[in-house]
Amino acid sequence: MSDVKTYKMMIGGEWVDASGGDTFESMNPFTGKTWALIPKGGKEDAGRAVAAARKAFETGEWPKMTATQRGHLLRKLGDLIAEKADALAQTEVRDNGKLIAEMGMQLKYVPQWYYYFGGLADKIEGAVTPIDKAEHFHYTRHEPLGVVCAITPWNSPLLLAAWKLAPALAAGNTVVLKPSEFTSASSLEYAALFEEVGFPPGVVNVVTGYGHEIGAALTEHPGVDKITFTGGPETGKRVYATGAAQLKRVSLELGGKSPNIVFDDCDMENAVKGAISGIFAATGQTCIAGSRLLVQQSIHDEFVDKLVAFAKTAKMGDPMSMDTQVGPVTTVPQYEKILSYLDIAKDEGAEVRMGGGKAVRPECGDGYFVEPTVFTGVNNRMRIAQEEVFGPVLSVIPFKDEEEALHIGNDVVYGLAAGVWTQSMRRAFTMSEKLRAGSVWVNTYRAVSYMAPFGGFKQSGVGRENGQDAIREYMQTKSVWMSYATETPNPFVMR
Ligand code: NAP
C-alpha cells in the first residue's frame, strides 16, 4: 500500500490523528482500490473539535475581527481555492468517481460562494426602532450563533461545504466540518487552505470518521449551537430529533424525487437534453435529479424514442478522462442500492426501455458502474416513482393534461425541485406557482447559483442555503434597550 496517502484531521489549528490512532480506507470507485487512509475519529475527537471551535469563538482574534475583516479573509480564501481548483477536483474524482469535466467546473465555481458571502459579511444591518416607550432607545443587532456543526454527503463534498461554511463564517461563527466517510480527503485538503490564508486556529476544524460515531457525537454535543446537514432523509430525521432534544438550530438539505415535466408544446430537442442532464449527469447522484420524467401522452412515444437514442450515445468510463460522460457510482452500498431498485421496478411491472443492470463493459474496468436506465410504464404509486434511488435511473410517467401533471408532480413526500418544458408563458407561470418545490426550472434544469436561495419544501428539508436568506440561518437577532430617562420609575407604581 505504498501509494496510499495518509491524512490527518484539523483540530484547533493542529494536524492530528484520531485520538485512538485508528484509520479507515477510502476507495477509488473507478479502480475499486484503496487510495487513502483517513483518521477514524470518535466521540473524544468530536469533543476536542467542539472545544477548539468554542475557544476560537469566544477568545483570540476571531471575535475581535470586524465583519469587513472577516469578509476580506473569505475573499482571500476564494482566490486560493481558485488557484488550487484543479488539484482539489482531482482529489474529488479519485474519491467519489464523479467526472473530472464536472468537478473541474464545480471547483472553479466554488470561490464564488466565498466572494459573495465575503461581500455580504459587512452588509447585515440592524435597525433602530421608533420604540413606543418614552425616553428609551431601541435597536437590533444580528449576531452569530456560536459553534456550527456542518455535515456533508459524498456527492459534491467541497461545493456543499462552501454552501455552509461561507455564510456561517461570514456571520462570525466557528465551524466543525464532518464530511462523509466515503469522501473525506478533499475536505481535509480544504482545511489547509483556511490555515494558509490566515483564519485563526479553531475557526475551521475538520474531523473525519463514521457518521454514526463522530457524526452523532457532534450533533449530540451540548457545545454545538447549530447543525447544518446535507444528506439522506433518514439520517436527516435522526439529526433533527437529536438537535430538537437540546433545542439547537437545525437546517437540513435532504433528498428529492423531482418531476421533470414535458408538455407537448415544448421544444423537443431541448427537452430531451434537459431530461438527460436531469438524470444521467453526475450518474444520477444528485439530490435534484429529475428522476421522474412526466411526459404528455400525445408526445410520449416519440419523446421516449428520442431520449433513448440520445442517452445511448453516452460514453462511460474513467472519470479522470475529459470525454467520459457517465462515471461510476461512488460507494459500494449505493451501487447495491441502485441495483436493488432496478429489481424492485421490474417486479412492480415497469418496462425496461434501456439499461436495467450492472454495466459490464471493458471501458468500465473494475469500477462500480450501472447502465443508464430508462423505465417506461411507470405509475406514480410504484416505489420506483416514490423513493429516491440516487442513481442513473429514470422513471417515465405519462400524463393527460396540466391538472394531472401537477397532481402527479406534487404527489410525493419530497419537494426539492421540478422542471417544466413548455413554450407557453401562461403554463410556465402557472406551473411554477403550483409546483410544491424549492426550485422550479422552466426550459432548463439543474441550474444553481450562490445567489439563488436553495432548499426543500415538504420532506426535502428545512431552511435555505445560498442567496441572502442563507446568512440569516447562521445569525440571531438581539434587541437592545437603553433608557435615557433621568429617573427610574418607582417599580410599585404601575403606569
Ligand atoms: P447520508 O448517509 O445521510 O450521510 C450524510 C452525512 O451524514 C454523512 O457525512 C454521514 O457520514 C453523516 N451521518 C450518517 N449518520 C449520521 C448520524 N447518525 N449523525 C450524524 N451524521 C451522520 O447521505 P449520503 O448517502 O452521504 O448522501 C446522499 C443523500 O444526500 C441523498 O439522499 C441526497 O438527496 C442528499 N443530498 C441532498 C442535497 C441537498 O442539497 N438537498 C445535496 C446533496 C445530497 P458517513 O458518510 O460517514 O456515514
Side-chain angles (χ1 to χ4, degrees), residues 154 256-257 279 283-286 289 291 329 333-342 344-345 370 373 375 383-395 414:
W154 43 259
K257 194 74 196 176
I279 190 64
T283 317
Q285 300 174 113
T286 72
S291 50
V329 173
Q334 185 57 27
Y335 174 71
E336 284 161 1
K337 178 179 162 189
I338 297 170
L339 295 179
S340 79
Y341 269 103
L342 299 181
I344 290 168
V370 175
T373 295
F375 284 115
R383 285 183 64 191
I384 196 67
Q386 290 287 322
E387 298 172 18
E388 186 183 45
V389 177
F390 217 61
V393 182
L394 183 66
S395 296
Y414 298 110

Side-chain angles (χ1 to χ4, degrees), residues 170-288:
N173 299 280
T174 57
V175 177
V176 180
L177 169 65
K178 194 224 95 64
S180 165
E181 72 199 52
F182 298 106
T183 55
S184 300
S186 60
S187 299
L188 293 169
E189 291 179 7
Y190 207 42
L193 309 189
F194 287 88
E195 194 187 27
E196 195 176 327
V197 295
F199 278 85
V203 172
V204 176
N205 306 274
V206 181
V207 294
T208 51
Y210 297 157
H212 64 277
E213 292 176 359
I214 194 164
L218 284 170
T219 58
E220 286 161 9
H221 198 295
V224 167
D225 299 289
K226 152 107 194 179
I227 305 167
T228 170
F229 171 89
T230 300
E234 289 319 311
T235 322
K237 285 177 197 164
R238 209 168 304 133
V239 166
Y240 206 23
T242 306
Q246 292 172 23
L247 296 176
K248 291 187 203 302
R249 310 290 177 94
V250 180
S251 44
L252 304 168
E253 294 287 356
L254 307 176
K257 194 74 196 176
S258 301
N260 204 356
I261 306 173
V262 181
F263 286 98
D264 59 7
D265 66 346
C266 70
D267 175 320
M268 210 180 281
E269 306 304 318
N270 286 338
V272 165
K273 288 188 221 153
I276 286 177
S277 83
I279 190 64
F280 298 134
T283 317
Q285 300 174 113
T286 72
C287 51
I288 49 181

Side-chain angles (χ1 to χ4, degrees), residues 118-133:
L120 195 56
D122 59 6
K123 289 163 197 71
I124 305 301
E125 296 173 352
V128 173
T129 318
I131 203 73
D132 63 333
K133 312 280 178 238

Side-chain angles (χ1 to χ4, degrees), residues 17 29 34 60 79 138 160 169-170 173 175 179 273-274 437 492:
D17 292 319
T34 298
D79 286 344
H138 177 269
L160 298 175
L169 295 169
N173 299 280
V175 177
K273 288 188 221 153
F492 296 118

Side-chain angles (χ1 to χ4, degrees), residues 318-486:
D318 184 350
M320 281 289 187
S321 161
M322 277 305 278
D323 55 352
T324 297
Q325 291 160 333
V326 176
V329 173
T330 300
T331 77
V332 175
Q334 185 57 27
Y335 174 71
E336 284 161 1
K337 178 179 162 189
I338 297 170
L339 295 179
S340 79
Y341 269 103
L342 299 181
D343 291 338
I344 290 168
K346 290 172 201 164
D347 289 347
E348 286 178 312
E351 192 187 320
V352 180
R353 273 300 304 269
M354 181 182 154
K358 295 176 188 174
V360 191
R361 308 184 188 190
E363 61 271 32
C364 296
D366 294 328
Y368 295 91
F369 284 82
V370 175
E371 285 292 343
T373 295
V374 176
F375 284 115
T376 51
V378 175
N379 79 60
N380 204 49
R381 299 267 43 90
M382 292 179 177
R383 285 183 64 191
I384 196 67
Q386 290 287 322
E387 298 172 18
E388 186 183 45
V389 177
F390 217 61
V393 182
L394 183 66
S395 296
V396 185
I397 305 172
F399 68 87
K400 212 168 47 255
D401 53 22
E402 248 173 60
E403 196 183 337
E404 194 182 21
L406 267 174
H407 174 74
I408 297 172
N410 286 333
D411 189 19
V412 284
V413 294
Y414 298 110
L416 192 59
V420 179
W421 297 86
T422 180
Q423 310 236 35
S424 152
M425 203 170 81
R426 183 204 58 75
R427 187 173 260 165
F429 277 102
T430 308
M431 295 299 287
S432 311
E433 188 181 315
K434 296 194 171 160
L435 280 163
R436 299 196 60 214
S439 296
V440 178
W441 294 293
V442 178
N443 296 331
T444 181
Y445 203 86
R446 275 190 100 216
V448 291
S449 164
Y450 49 92
M451 293 184 191
F454 180 90
F457 279 28
K458 301 193 278 181
Q459 291 190 27
S460 285
V462 175
R464 288 293 174 272
E465 299 196 297
N466 308 339
Q468 295 191 27
D469 295 14
I471 199 163
R472 297 297 184 149
E473 303 273 344
Y474 297 95
M475 303 192 97
Q476 53 197 340
T477 304
K478 180 179 278 174
S479 238
V480 184
W481 293 81
M482 293 192 184
S483 167
Y484 50 94
T486 45

